[in-house]
Amino acid sequence: MIQITRTTQPKEKPDQHALGFGKYYTDHMLIIDYTAGQGWHDARIVPFGPLPLHPAAVVLHYGMEIFEGLKAYRRPDGRVQLFRPIENVRRMNNSARRLSLPTMDESLGLEALTTFVELEQGWVPSLPGTSLYLRPFLYASEPNLALHAIQEATYVLIASPVASYFSGGLTPVSIMIEDEDVRAVRGGTGEAKCGGNYAAATRAGDRAEAKGYSQVLWLDGVERKYIEEVGAMNVMFKIAGEVVTPKLTGSILPGITRKSAIELLKSQGVQVSERLISAQELLEAAANGALEEAWGIGTAAIISPIGSLSYQGQDYAIHGGKIGPVAQKLYDDLSGIQWGLKEDTMGWTVPIPAQA
Ligand SMILES: *Cc1c(COP(=O)(O)O)cnc(C)c1O
C-alpha cells in the first residue's frame, strides 16, 4: 500500500512550448525507506520538496547511488501510457546488486511507477514529442563513514514534464572518438545505471563540447579499441547494408531502447548483429563509404543521428550529414508505439487508469 498525502498548494502547469529538460517538477514525490532486517517500508507519496540528508550519509562520501529514466506518454485519445516499465524495474535491481544496494520486489517497483503516474497524470504534456520524464533513484542514506553492508537506503521517484529532444526534426550531431578518458571497464560499473559513471564521463563530454562536438564516442577501457557507447546513449551503425551494434560485454549499459530496436528490427525481418566493432573498422568504413548510417539510441532522444565522426583531428561525414532511412524508420516506429500513434504489436505499452 502506498500512502498518499496530497499537496495543499498545487503548482501552475508550465507552458508546454517552453518545457526544456528537468526544468519543472510535478506536485509530488514518492519515497520508500529501506532498513536492513525490515526490508522496504513506508511507501508514500508526499508533496514535492527537499530531502532530509545526514551529512555522514554514505551516498555523499562513497557515491552509492543508482537511478533509472523512463517516460509517461500522452496518447492521441488523451490516455497516458508507459513503455516497458518492468524493464526499468529489473535494470534498477541489477544496478542495485552491482552497487550493494538493496533490491526491491518487481511488483513494488512497478506499483511505485504506475501509482505515481496515475496521481500525476495531469502533468503529462500533450504537444507532439513531449512527455513526463520519470526519474526513480536509490541511495545509501545511512549515516556512516565506515563503509560496510548497507543498513539504510532510500528510494525516491520524481517526475519532470519535458520537451521533445529535438525541436524541428531529428538534427544530426557531430561526434568525437575519445581516446583518452574511458567511461567504464569490464568488471566495473559500466552496466549499472549509477551516478558515478556520469561523474567520470563528464570531463570528456565537456572537452568535446569545447572543441565544437556534441558528444564523445567511447572506446572500451581495456584495449581502447572497440566502440562502446555515444555520450550516455547506446550506438548503432549501418555498415555495408547490415545494422550492427556493440555487443554487451559488461562495460556497456544495456539500454531498453537499444533492446527494443533490435527486437523490432528483427520482427520486421531486418538482420541485426551484436558484435565487437573496432574504431579502426568504423573509420575504414567511413572512409570507403561502407558506413551508411550511425545513430545514438536511448529514452531521452529515442534516436540521435550522427552526422559526422572525428578522430584525431580528421572528420568523416556520415550519410551526407543527414539522417538516414533506417534511423528515421526506427524513430517513427518506436516513437509511434510510445505515443500510441502506431499499434503496439509487441505488447510493450502499459496504460495508466484515467483519474476517477
Ligand atoms: C540510460 C542509459 C542508456 C540508454 O538506456 P535506455 O534504457 O534506452 O534509456 C545508454 N547508456 C547509458 C550510459 C545510460 O545511462
Side-chain angles (χ1 to χ4, degrees):
M1 239 339 256
I2 299 175
Q3 205 200 317
I4 300 177
T5 307
R6 283 171 194 269
T7 181
T8 53
Q9 295 160 306
K11 293 179 253 195
E12 207 179 307
K13 305 275 192 306
D15 175 4
Q16 285 201 35
H17 294 274
L19 289 176
F21 191 90
K23 220 159 81 177
Y24 302 100
Y25 293 89
T26 65
D27 283 325
H28 301 93
M29 58 187 181
L30 188 151
I31 302 176
I32 316 177
D33 298 319
Y34 172 87
T35 309
Q38 191 181 355
W40 291 100
H41 58 92
D42 290 294
R44 59 202 184 273
I45 292 174
V46 295
F48 186 91
L51 296 165
L53 198 59
H54 192 287
V58 168
V59 63
L60 294 179
H61 303 271
Y62 306 120
M64 295 185 76
E65 186 263 0
I66 58 172
F67 65 95
E68 271 302 325
L70 69 160
K71 289 171 168 179
Y73 306 87
R74 192 169 296 280
R75 304 164 45 100
D77 65 5
R79 295 280 301 277
V80 168
Q81 65 185 19
L82 298 175
F83 181 75
R84 311 188 82 175
I86 191 69
E87 297 288 337
N88 295 91
V89 171
R90 290 184 181 139
R91 186 170 66 189
M92 195 165 193
N93 276 339
N94 287 336
S95 299
R97 276 185 276 270
R98 180 61 189 85
L99 273 88
S100 293
L101 284 163
T103 58
M104 185 180 280
D105 276 352
E106 286 180 8
S107 58
L108 177 59
L110 200 57
E111 188 191 356
L113 293 171
T114 54
T115 305
F116 189 65
V117 173
E118 189 176 338
L119 179 74
E120 299 291 60
Q121 61 184 277
W123 284 87
V124 182
S126 56
L127 275 185
T130 63
S131 56
L132 183 66
Y133 184 77
L134 306 173
R135 168 54 60 87
F137 58 106
L138 196 176
Y139 56 96
S141 41
E142 165 183 351
N144 198 340
L145 293 181
L147 191 56
H148 62 99
I150 287 304
Q151 304 294 305
E152 285 173 34
T154 306
Y155 168 100
V156 185
L157 170 58
I158 57 175
S160 170
V162 297
S164 169
Y165 203 80
F166 297 107
S167 42
L170 297 162
T171 317
V173 294
S174 57
I175 297 295
M176 187 192 102
I177 297 181
E178 171 64 37
D179 55 7
E180 198 173 323
D181 287 358
V182 296
R183 190 190 81 91
V185 293
R186 234 171 290 166
T189 56
E191 56 182 11
K193 212 170 173 71
C194 65
N197 288 343
Y198 280 69
T202 301
R203 180 171 78 169
D206 288 349
R207 281 197 302 228
E209 232 173 78
K211 290 184 192 159
Y213 300 99
S214 296
Q215 256 305 341
V216 299
L217 194 63
W218 294 108
L219 299 180
D220 77 276
V222 179
E223 298 183 71
R224 302 198 188 196
K225 190 170 157 188
Y226 298 105
I227 305 296
E228 299 219 313
E229 301 199 49
V230 58
M233 299 179 124
N234 294 117
V235 66
M236 291 186 167
F237 306 97
K238 186 166 173 241
I239 304 176
E242 192 191 31
V243 176
V244 294
T245 189
K247 72 169 183 183
L248 303 176
T249 52
S251 45
I252 293 174
L253 196 287
I256 295 159
T257 323
R258 171 191 180 278
K259 173 178 167 165
S260 303
I262 293 170
E263 291 172 10
L264 197 62
L265 287 169
K266 286 186 173 169
S267 80
Q268 296 168 343
V270 178
Q271 177 66 37
V272 185
S273 64
E274 298 176 67
R275 61 172 175 84
L276 295 177
I277 305 159
S278 70
Q280 193 186 345
E281 175 191 347
L282 198 65
L283 293 172
E284 281 171 13
N288 69 24
L291 178 58
E292 297 165 57
E293 296 187 39
W295 63 89
I297 181 160
T299 297
I302 313 176
I303 299 291
S304 176
I306 299 173
S308 78
L309 207 58
S310 164
Y311 187 56
Q312 296 179 340
Q314 173 123 22
D315 289 340
Y316 304 81
I318 304 170
H319 204 271
K322 295 191 193 71
I323 185 168
V326 175
Q328 182 68 57
K329 180 163 175 10
L330 253 187
Y331 177 83
D332 292 343
D333 288 348
L334 286 170
S335 65
I337 294 172
Q338 289 168 336
W339 273 276
L341 302 161
K342 285 194 174 184
E343 194 195 344
D344 173 17
T345 55
M346 309 295 278
W348 284 339
T349 53
V350 175
I352 298 296
Q355 229 153 4

